[in-house]
Structures are given as C-alpha cells and as structure tokens.
Amino acid sequence: MNISYKWLKEYVDFDLTPQEVCDALTSTGLEVDALEEVQSIKGGLKGLYVGKVVTCEMHPNSDHLHVTTVDLGRESLSQIVCGAPNVAEGQKVIVADLGCVLYDGDKEFVIKKSKLRGVESCGMICAEDEIGVGNSHDGIIVLPEDAKVGMTAAEYYHLESDWLIEVDITANRADALSHWGVARDLYAWLKQNGYKTQLHKPSTADFKVDNHDLPIEVVIENQEACKRYACVSVTDCEVKESPDWLKNKLSTIGLRPINNIVDITNYVMMALGQPLHCFDADMVTGRKIVVKTMPEGTPFQTLDGVDHKLSERDLAICNAESPMCIAGVFGGKGSGTYESTRNVVLESAYFHPTWIRKSARRHGLSTDASFRFERGVDPNGTVEALKYAAMLCKQLAGGKVSMEICDVYPKPIKDAVVDLKFDYVNSLIGKNIDVVTLKSICLSLEMEIIEENELGLTLKVPAYRVDVQRPCDVVEDILRIYGYNNVEIPTQLKSSLVIKGEEDHKHKMANLVSEQLVGMGFNEILNNSLTKAAYYGERQDTLVKIMNPLSSDLNVMRQSLLYGGLESIEHNANRRNGNCRFFEFGNVYYFDPNKTNEENPMQAYTEQYHLGIWLTGKRITGSWAHPDEDFSFAELRAYVENILTRIGLQSGMVVRKKSTNEIFSAGLTYENRGGKVLLEMGVLSKKEQKAAGIDTPVYYAELNWTALMKAVRKQKVLYTEIAKYPIVSRDLALLIDQQVEFAQIEEVARQTEKKLLKKVELFDVYEGKNLPEGKKSYAVNFILQDTEKTMGDKQIDAIMQKLINNLKQKLGAELR
C-alpha cells in the first residue's frame, strides 16, 4: 500500500518528518517497507529554467529550424537551435539547460552541447509533453510576460517533492488500505504519545441532489454475496483530463491518471478505502441494476478485452438484460467511462469477501478493488464514499446529481460488542496499564465505551475493524498503540521442567541423521507443503484438498516429498548444477474416504513425518585420480542402510520386498514384521522423470520417519567392540526360478541363522544360454561370525548345509 506523506497530512495534524512517520506507523503494526522521495513529474523538472528569447533567426542550412539566443539570467546568452514553428523573439519559454535529463516513458535523454546542421546548440526550448507538464506537442511552451527569467521550472510550476511511504499491510488490516485508514492509526499513536493532533475527514455535508432526471432502481437477488449496494446517477458530465492536483496525487502513489471520472473513483478508493465503479448510464438498460449470479458458462468480456466464462458462483452487476461487471473484481467491455460518456452511474457496495476472492482467483484477475473487497471494507462507509465521489464529479466534470441515493441494505452489519476485563488486559500484556490510558487508546481507535465498571469495559468496535472481534483482539490493538517497546522485559525467568517424550526423541534422531547426511555431501532442502493435485494422477480421492486454493499449483497438501525434490532438482539442473545430493524432512498428509465420520471429521485425516533422499547426476566428476562416475541405486541403498543402522534398526527387524510403487522402474520396499511399510526406494520411472523435465536418472528413497521411530522406540543404540575373531565368507551359486527375488533368498537365510549370519550380498546375476528355460543364476555371498570364538569347519558346514536345504525346500533353488 503506497501512502503519500503530503496526502496523509490532509487528514491528520502532525509535524513529524517522513522518517518519524515511518517509525510511528511501524510501531503500530503498519510496517513500513520503504521510504522514497518522489516528484509528481518524473525528474522533478531539474535542469529546467525560465528563459527569454532575445533573438530568433532562420537557420542558414534549414528551412524549418531557427537559431535563437536565450537569456537565462546569466552573464552570457545561450545559443539554442529550435525546430518549433511558434518560436519567436521576445517570448518567455522553458529551457532545458546542458546536463538536464528529460524522460520519455522509461527512456532518458540527456541534453548535451551539439551541432544541428552545422550550428552549435547549447540547450533545448521545450514543449509540454517533453517535460511532463502536459500532452501538447504542437509547439514550445510560451509563458506569460510576468514569468521571471532564470526561475527554475519547478518553482514556476509550484512543483514540490513528496515522500512515498510503502506500507506492508497484513491480511487482517483491511481498514488500513487507504490514507484515511492509516491516518486513524497515526492519530491514535500521536494522542498516546502526547502530540497535539486532530483528524480531518473529507466532508460530504454539501452533497445535494440537483434533479431527478435519471433515477436508477436497484435489486439485490443474492443477499449472501452482496450485503449492501448503493448507487447515484450524475448527468451532463464532461469527461476530460483531470486537474493537476488530482493527477499528481494519483501519480505519486503509482496510479496512472485516465480521465476525470475514472480518476475520481480511484482517488476516493485510495482516500477512504471504499472501491467504487462507474458505469456509462446508457449501458444501464431499463434504468435498473440487478445484483445476481448468472448461469454457468455465461460469456463475459472484461474492460481489457479478455473473454471469460462466468461461473454460477460469480456475482455479477447486471442491467435489465445482461451483466455489466464481475462484482468487486472487473468491469465489462463497453460499460466503462469514455470521452463520449455524458451520464454516469456511480456504484458503492459491500460484497462478501469470500465470494470476491474466489471469483478473482477463478478468472485470474487481481485489482485494487478486489484486493480490498477480499479483506473486507467498511460496510457503513459506502454512502459516504458515494457522496464524496458525486461531489467531485460535479466539481471536476460539471455534472448534476440526478437522483436520490439508492441504498439497499437488507440486513445491516452490526458493530462487534466486546467485554474487556482489566485483569485480562494486564495478564495478557504482562504489565499493569492504568485505566485512563486504556480508555484513551480505545476512544482514539474509534471504539465506543457502552458500559464501564470497576472490573472492565464493554466496547462497541466499529464494523470496519473486521479483525477485532474478541477481547484478545482488543488487547492487541491497545498494545500496538501503547507500544510493544514500552512493555519492560521481566528480570525473572519462569520455567518448568518437562520429561523428554517421543517427539523429542524423533527430532533428536532427525538432527543426528541430518548431520550424518550433510557429512556425506548432501544438501538439505525445504519445500512447500502445498502442491498441485496433478502430480498424483488417479489418487485424487485420497488427497487433502485446500478449500480456497491460491492457485491450481497449490491446491492440495503433499502426499509425498518426491515432487518438491524433483522441482528443486529441475531448478538446479536448469542452472548447470545437475549433480545433486538432496534430503528433506517434512510432513505428508493423507485422506481416507472410508474413515469419514461426521462426529469426528478429523478421523479420516492422517499426518506423517517423512525423510526424502534424492540422488541424480554424477557421483564423481572432474577428478584427476578417478574417472567420472554416475550415481547408482547401490549407493542410495548404502546411504539408507547407514541411516537404519544409525537409528538402531537391526537387519532382522525388517523384511525387504520388491517395490510395486508405480513411481519406480525398479525398487525395494522395507516393511516391519507386521507388514507396515517403513520405507521405499528405487530408480524413478522414465514417465516421472520426463514429467519433471529431468534428463538424468533419479534415485529416490522416502522413509516413513514416524513409523521408523515407533519401530526403534525400545531400541537402544549401543556400541560394541570390534570382534576379535575372524569372519567366515562362503559363496553359493544358486539356480532359481525367474520370479524369485534376492529379497526372498535373504529372508530365508536370516530365518535359517539369526545369530551368526551377519551379511547376505548378491554379487552376480546370470541369465542366458546354458541355463534351463525360466531359470536364472544368482551368486550370493554369506558372511558368518561368532563374536565369542573362532568358528570351526564342522559348525560352518552345518550352517551352510542347513541353509542350502532351506533354499531348496522353500524356493526350489539348486546348486550349480
């Protein structure tokens, strides 16, 4: 929200510097993001002076140029070559001196000494549009005889600089989206800090109806979406350029002046916070305005010429035949104000914020009006703003008010009533504030004291404060005016001892694993929990959907960490950083439609904490001692196994299976003995890789940290001494059926020998000729070790024979 320092001074009395105003506003919760000195005319007319043309002769080498000498009030005259047809001796003119910078839109033009057709020129005699004081380019500016030679153009045109205050308005402070709204807060701060001050709201006491030539009827069909609608007609208007004071005010805060009628509506919105719309009265067929919704798919073209299809949930402002405007968002083609317009209808309304927000998002439109309606405008300020705009139309366009104000307000919105207890205020703030100060702040914030007793106050809060409905809201309002810095930090620190629980253990282990991964060369990433439903294909019914999404890219809660990581990989790859080791801890969310319960709506929703790991690109690159090497699934598995070891999950506690998850072209699933999935990892499928716009293979693992912490809840990670006794390595070449997986072999082996079998690894796979049809060969290595003694041959042979027998019996394996 851009605020003009000079404009603000029209509404509240103060002698603060611009910087002091910024500090005051920030302390009240209206945080100032920037302060900038601005001019209503770009460049501030620097380097431009009033001059007198002393001589004017035809250029010797041109039939349209003139060679002039100009008096700028200096010792010597300046020779300037001018091409304007109206330049003449004796004129008072505006001259751009050497070094002056002129602007044409975003382009800059510096006046330098130059030669035109062989004649030296030391400046430029200017036209209106060349310096920004008008639009005419018919000839140079000719000033009155009383213009003082040597005077700066800024002084002649009474140009004064202003200060632009950029305020970051939070979503709950709709009341501060105007100069009047900011003035109210500044006034309360000034009162609290002992300054003499007064508020000056623009008066509408002189409003009157001139005739009744153009009455307009208003009907509100949808009273849920439109709580209040007011309008007034103004006839015999002359649509033309706005006066300088109005154009300067709008330009200062970044709005482009259009014409006097449109500028009036923008001015009133920025002054009072009430968005207005102006219709050409000829478009209001039947002299009737109907506020209603249209059938689904109704075609509608906005003022910018873009075609839209209205939804049955879009509120429209209609004439007797067709829609003229998407309420609170954007006007329709042909219904606006043009040079040919003579009669206008001004609209001022209060629309339900949710309806406006959804319509604006639905059509991808965001305007100053929708921004305010979405947050909630003052329902009791509509008529006041309408009167002010109508008075300005009479003043600046010569119009006549041609009807009584039509104000349809079926169910008036009441001010909130809040009971505020003094003890509650003091306990919440942490400091005892005297009652006189509390009452003074409340009154300065336009809260009305309905009742007072020794325990507290009953307050009526104005309806424009949509964020102040409860006692805690009032306390917050009091505190921001009183000053957070005025609440002393206590010297006594109160604390209580707590016992570490499962959540503490979960976060401690997450930190340990994070440090472990960073030590292995990983970078941690953090992605938005909101994502797009399109990522999840046919699983739409299990997604947690956002009721009012900001966009289609942020319309559901993520069900996996995968896609946020892929976006990060794509972002890095597009910036020539394609070798990525990423990890992320974060929550994922699920909805089970089968568990829907009206008595307990949350029963269908679950939230889990996950760890995602991504590898892509090259593991080693640019090394003199090692050739470039790509990442592999084996490396991903090693990282995951190290994590499981670190948190105390022993190999015998998990069951490894081939992953059936469609996101992987090949992968593994780790489950506990009860069948609960602990993690999945694998090579991302080509389909997912292509959809993400990534060219290199991606290896991904997602660990259910919530489930893993439950699995190791009773496990203690202890160290053991390195075994003194040797390991025993035995290899078996097994002929097995094609459908048998290594995970099944490992499972049989661990069931056969649970104590002495330390590791089972697959080191070769052969499929091809010399093997029976439907068979394959696995070369498997088994590591045995006894930590208490050296294993003998008989013991080893007995274990291996038992292992061979079980593999034959359970998997049909044969030794090659």
Side-chain angles (χ1 to χ4, degrees):
M1 173 68 190
N2 290 334
I3 296 295
S4 160
Y5 172 78
K6 290 171 65 177
W7 194 347
L8 192 63
K9 292 194 76 169
E10 295 178 14
Y11 298 155
V12 60
D13 297 334
F14 61 85
D15 294 321
L16 304 179
T17 65
Q19 184 58 56
E20 288 172 336
V21 171
C22 293
D23 295 339
L25 292 178
T26 298
S27 72
T28 66
L30 301 179
E31 183 178 355
V32 174
D33 185 58
L35 175 65
E36 178 186 0
E37 187 176 9
V38 295
Q39 294 86 21
S40 55
I41 297 177
K42 192 171 183 180
L45 300 181
K46 292 181 180 178
L48 293 160
Y49 301 92
V50 174
K52 181 178 181 179
V53 180
V54 178
T55 65
C56 179
E57 300 176 355
M58 289 299 298
H59 193 292
N61 300 318
S62 172
D63 58 358
H64 71 279
L65 294 176
H66 295 81
V67 180
T68 68
T69 55
V70 181
D71 180 10
L72 294 175
R74 301 168 186 170
E75 292 183 359
S76 59
L77 302 178
S78 298
Q79 180 174 286
I80 299 175
V81 177
C82 179
N86 65 326
V87 65
E89 184 179 313
Q91 291 175 335
K92 298 287 184 68
V93 293
I94 295 293
V95 176
D97 200 8
L98 295 177
C100 174
V101 180
L102 300 180
Y103 299 89
D104 181 11
D106 294 330
K107 297 179 181 178
E108 296 183 356
F109 177 65
V110 182
I111 302 299
K112 299 177 181 178
K113 185 183 292 187
S114 60
K115 285 189 177 182
L116 297 176
R117 300 284 182 94
V119 177
E120 187 175 70
S121 180
C122 300
M124 175 179 170
I125 304 176
C126 302
E128 285 184 356
D129 64 332
E130 290 169 334
I131 64 173
V133 297
N135 298 318
S136 174
H137 194 70
D138 296 336
I140 59 170
I141 302 169
V142 179
L143 303 177
E145 278 296 322
D146 59 355
K148 184 179 178 182
V149 172
M151 177 187 289
T152 64
E155 184 181 357
Y156 177 81
Y157 284 106
H158 305 291
L159 184 69
E160 297 179 11
S161 64
D162 195 357
W163 290 87
L164 184 67
I165 303 170
E166 186 179 336
V167 182
D168 287 340
I169 304 293
T170 53
N172 64 319
R173 291 302 309 277
D175 63 291
L177 288 170
S178 66
H179 284 75
W180 174 246
V182 172
R184 282 186 303 226
D185 265 19
L186 183 58
Y187 167 78
W189 183 90
L190 291 166
K191 289 278 287 184
Q192 170 60 25
N193 287 274
Y195 291 89
K196 290 183 178 181
T197 183
Q198 192 68 41
L199 279 172
H200 308 283
K201 189 172 185 179
S203 174
T204 58
D206 295 335
F207 173 84
K208 69 174 184 176
V209 178
D210 299 304
N211 56 58
H212 296 83
D213 295 345
L214 187 58
I216 301 294
E217 179 188 356
V218 173
V219 177
I220 302 178
E221 290 189 4
N222 190 323
Q223 295 183 7
E224 175 197 348
C226 180
K227 304 293 186 182
R228 186 177 192 180
Y229 192 96
C231 73
V232 67
S233 62
V234 184
T235 58
D236 298 328
C237 294
E238 182 186 357
V239 179
K240 58 183 179 179
E241 187 177 345
S242 295
D244 289 342
W245 71 265
L246 179 53
K247 290 191 297 183
N248 290 344
K249 283 194 172 185
L250 296 179
S251 298
T252 298
I253 61 173
L255 293 181
R256 181 176 64 88
I258 299 173
N259 60 53
N260 53 353
I261 302 298
V262 175
D263 292 349
I264 286 169
T265 61
N266 286 332
Y267 171 75
V268 173
M269 176 175 65
M270 292 302 177
L272 303 179
Q274 173 64 50
L276 304 176
H277 190 69
C278 182
F279 298 105
D280 187 322
D282 293 339
M283 290 297 295
V284 187
T285 57
R287 294 190 177 182
K288 183 177 183 179
I289 290 177
V290 183
V291 186
K292 62 181 181 178
T293 55
M294 300 299 292
E296 185 74 32
T298 299
F300 182 77
Q301 190 177 60
T302 46
L303 280 169
D304 55 2
V306 177
D307 292 321
H308 297 265
K309 297 287 186 182
L310 296 182
S311 163
E312 61 181 8
R313 296 292 292 175
D314 289 328
L315 187 66
I317 309 301
C318 308
N319 55 32
E321 299 172 355
S322 60
M324 301 184 293
C325 174
I326 301 176
V329 181
F330 219 113
K333 188 75 172 177
S335 68
T337 306
Y338 306 94
E339 289 185 4
S340 59
T341 300
R342 289 294 173 265
N343 304 321
V344 299
V345 177
L346 296 172
E347 163 198 282
S348 181
Y350 178 87
F351 301 115
H352 194 291
T354 303
W355 278 73
I356 303 305
R357 182 176 65 250
K358 288 184 176 180
S359 286
R361 300 295 179 273
R362 192 178 293 120
H363 295 284
L365 298 171
S366 180
T367 61
D368 286 328
S370 67
F371 187 81
R372 285 159 176 78
F373 280 126
E374 287 173 21
R375 287 155 177 77
V377 299
D378 182 5
N380 299 321
T382 54
V383 172
E384 195 76 6
L386 195 61
K387 288 181 178 180
Y388 191 35
M391 290 170 60
L392 288 171
C393 286
K394 292 175 66 174
Q395 176 188 337
L396 305 182
K400 298 181 179 64
V401 176
S402 298
M403 64 175 283
E404 299 289 344
I405 288 180
C406 180
D407 180 21
V408 182
Y409 198 7
K411 297 178 181 178
I413 297 174
K414 297 180 179 179
D415 294 339
V417 176
V418 178
D419 288 324
L420 187 69
K421 304 300 182 185
F422 297 136
D423 288 345
Y424 176 77
V425 175
N426 296 330
S427 64
L428 204 57
I429 291 177
K431 178 181 180 178
N432 291 337
I433 299 178
D434 64 271
V435 175
V436 174
T437 301
L438 289 179
K439 291 168 61 178
S440 174
I441 293 175
C442 290
L443 292 172
S444 67
L445 290 170
E446 299 187 351
M447 299 180 190
E448 180 185 344
I449 299 175
I450 301 174
E451 185 181 339
E452 178 183 356
N453 55 45
E454 66 276 6
L455 297 178
L457 306 172
T458 300
L459 301 169
K460 182 183 285 187
V461 181
Y464 65 76
R465 288 307 305 273
V466 295
D467 61 321
V468 182
Q469 305 290 318
R470 305 165 297 171
C472 59
D473 300 328
V474 176
V475 174
E476 181 185 1
D477 241 23
I478 291 170
L479 186 53
R480 66 185 183 83
I481 301 300
Y482 179 77
Y484 288 93
N485 292 336
N486 293 325
V487 179
E488 298 81 4
I489 298 174
T491 56
Q492 184 180 21
L493 180 63
K494 298 179 180 180
S495 63
S496 58
L497 299 176
V498 295
I499 299 172
K500 287 186 177 181
E502 291 185 13
E503 281 296 310
D504 300 288
H505 177 69
K506 181 180 77 172
H507 289 297
K508 178 184 177 182
M509 296 307 296
N511 286 335
L512 287 173
V513 169
S514 296
E515 292 173 1
Q516 178 176 321
L517 289 170
V518 169
M520 293 175 180
F522 280 81
N523 290 299
E524 184 173 11
I525 58 175
L526 292 172
N527 288 294
N528 198 336
S529 295
L530 298 177
T531 186
K532 52 184 169 184
Y535 280 144
Y536 297 96
E538 298 178 357
R539 291 176 285 165
Q540 300 295 309
D541 59 334
T542 63
L543 297 175
V544 179
K545 299 175 182 178
I546 306 300
M547 293 181 66
N548 298 311
L550 294 175
S551 69
S552 58
D553 288 342
L554 300 169
N555 58 353
V556 297
M557 304 295 287
R558 64 185 176 188
Q559 217 173 65
S560 169
L561 302 179
L562 171 64
Y563 300 104
L566 293 181
E567 290 175 0
S568 299
I569 290 172
E570 182 193 23
H571 180 85
N572 280 268
N574 290 340
R575 288 155 181 80
R576 299 185 180 182
N577 183 30
N579 305 323
C580 300
R581 286 184 175 95
F582 288 154
F583 76 94
E584 178 182 10
F585 279 99
N587 291 323
V588 295
Y589 308 86
Y590 302 90
F591 172 71
D592 186 349
N594 297 322
K595 293 183 179 179
T596 303
N597 187 331
E598 292 184 2
E599 295 182 2
N600 184 12
M602 297 304 298
Q603 183 175 312
Y605 297 89
T606 55
E607 177 181 353
Q608 296 175 350
Y609 199 55
H610 281 202
L611 166 62
I613 300 174
W614 296 261
L615 296 175
T616 187
K618 294 189 178 297
R619 173 177 173 267
I620 299 174
T621 181
S623 172
W624 65 271
H626 196 290
D628 288 0
E629 181 179 329
D630 294 335
F631 282 114
S632 66
F633 175 73
E635 185 164 4
L636 174 68
R637 182 176 179 181
Y639 287 132
V640 172
E641 294 282 0
N642 285 341
I643 291 171
L644 299 184
T645 301
R646 183 67 186 84
I647 65 175
L649 191 71
Q650 300 173 1
S651 295
M653 298 170 64
V654 298
V655 177
R656 298 164 180 82
K657 295 181 178 180
K658 180 179 179 180
S659 176
T660 58
N661 195 327
E662 60 184 14
I663 67 170
F664 298 125
S665 58
L668 289 175
T669 298
Y670 285 34
E671 299 178 354
N672 64 13
R673 293 295 177 181
K676 173 73 174 178
V677 175
L678 301 177
L679 67 94
E680 289 185 286
M681 61 179 169
V683 186
L684 201 67
S685 70
K686 293 290 184 182
K687 178 183 176 182
E688 295 286 351
Q689 183 182 316
K690 183 179 178 181
I694 301 171
D695 297 329
T696 56
V698 177
Y699 303 94
Y700 176 64
E702 184 156 346
L703 291 71
N704 186 334
W705 201 252
T706 302
L708 284 170
M709 290 300 100
K710 287 183 179 179
V712 299
R713 184 166 42 195
K714 297 181 180 179
Q715 293 291 116
K716 289 186 177 180
V717 181
L718 303 174
Y719 78 92
T720 56
E721 293 183 358
I722 296 175
K724 299 176 182 179
Y725 303 100
I727 62 171
V728 176
S729 176
R730 292 289 186 270
D731 296 336
L732 293 179
L734 301 173
L735 187 66
I736 56 177
D737 292 337
Q738 287 278 1
Q739 65 270 22
V740 175
E741 300 291 338
F742 170 71
Q744 295 173 265
I745 295 174
E746 183 180 15
E747 178 69 12
V748 170
R750 294 195 179 280
Q751 288 176 354
T752 301
E753 177 53 59
K754 297 180 180 179
K755 182 179 179 182
L756 301 179
L757 182 64
K758 302 301 180 183
K759 189 183 295 185
V760 182
E761 289 187 342
L762 176 66
F763 64 90
D764 188 39
V765 179
Y766 177 73
E767 297 177 89
K769 57 183 180 180
N770 300 326
L771 291 181
E773 186 176 351
K775 297 287 186 178
K776 61 183 176 182
S777 175
Y778 272 3
V780 184
N781 175 249
F782 300 89
I783 301 296
L784 302 170
Q785 187 180 36
D786 192 331
T787 57
E788 297 178 356
K789 65 179 188 301
T790 300
M791 296 181 69
D793 289 340
K794 288 185 179 180
Q795 183 184 15
I796 296 168
D797 291 341
I799 293 173
M800 293 306 298
Q801 189 57 50
K802 184 178 179 182
L803 180 58
I804 293 169
N805 292 338
N806 284 344
L807 289 170
K808 285 181 178 180
Q809 183 179 2
K810 295 182 179 180
L811 300 178
E814 299 177 17
L815 292 179
R816 290 189 66 195

